Amino acid sequence: MHSSKKHAQEAEELDPSIYSYDAVYESLHAKPGKGKAAAENKSEGPRYMGSLLRSAEVRKRDQLRARDRMLAKEREAEGDEFADKEKFVTSAYKKQQEELRRIEEEEAERERQEEERRKQNGGTGMVDFYRDMLSRGEQQHEAVMKATEEAARRVQAGEAPEETEESKEKTEAQKAEELNARGAHIAVNDEGQVVDKRQLLSAGLNAAPKPKQQPSAATAAAGSRASAPKSRFQSEQQNARAGQRARQTEMIASQLEEKAREEEAAEAARQKEIAERSRSRKTEGDVSSAKERYLARKREREAAAKAKGA
């Protein structure tokens, strides 16, 4: 640490402007139209504080908006508890609210202009992609919040929530557990569903069907009149289908007969070819007899040759 400080002091003694990065950068990238007087008269102030102050102002404005929303929710939760009380609003608060409304309108107008410009330019680039992704996320979040508020309102109003398929399955699993605890043997799979629901029915959970209303005489007469043309139309359709099935059956039968004839002809040709090949072949007996005759003649020649030599 001491050596680094010593090297820094030695460097400053050699060149006092060794750590003036901004000044050197500006001198290297200075425009030719500017003179030395303008560079000398330029005040050496903070270069990045402007953007930091603007960011701080935006954060402060967002905090004020969040605080106003929180107060509005608190007043809404209070209801008419303090409706008869006198309200006081200061002029500073009014000015603050007017300034916030003006800024919100300006931001909305700026966003609208940016949206139009993005649509005109085609909306390409990663910035537009992330912007669209964030907007979709905000829309989904708003939909979830609305659904949650609606469910809370229904619960407060005493309305029964809608029964979903998941709750039905859970109810069946609970019933199966209760019956198993009483001594029944009901199989439940890994997903919590009853394998054979007839076991639940046999345990005394059958529901009686609702009685059907008997149709009146006028309804029966109207039904009979409407069924007359319908029955004729159905009979015509049945006859057409029967004729079509008969034609298809005949066509399939003819195809099967043709295929059987072709197979018989092919089998006859194959048998004929086998018979012709068998005629041209010599039997094993003929071959063995010819071999024996050859060997006999060979032995005779050998015997004759030995006799002559003796």
Side-chain angles (χ1 to χ4, degrees), residues 212-251:
K212 296 182 179 179
Q213 296 180 356
Q214 296 294 334
S216 61
T219 306
S224 62
R225 287 195 299 270
S227 62
K230 187 176 180 181
S231 61
R232 287 196 298 271
F233 180 71
Q234 289 178 353
S235 62
E236 292 177 358
Q237 284 186 340
Q238 290 176 358
N239 294 332
R241 284 196 294 269
Q244 185 178 5
R245 284 196 297 270
R247 289 192 297 272
Q248 290 177 354
T249 304
E250 292 177 358
M251 183 174 62

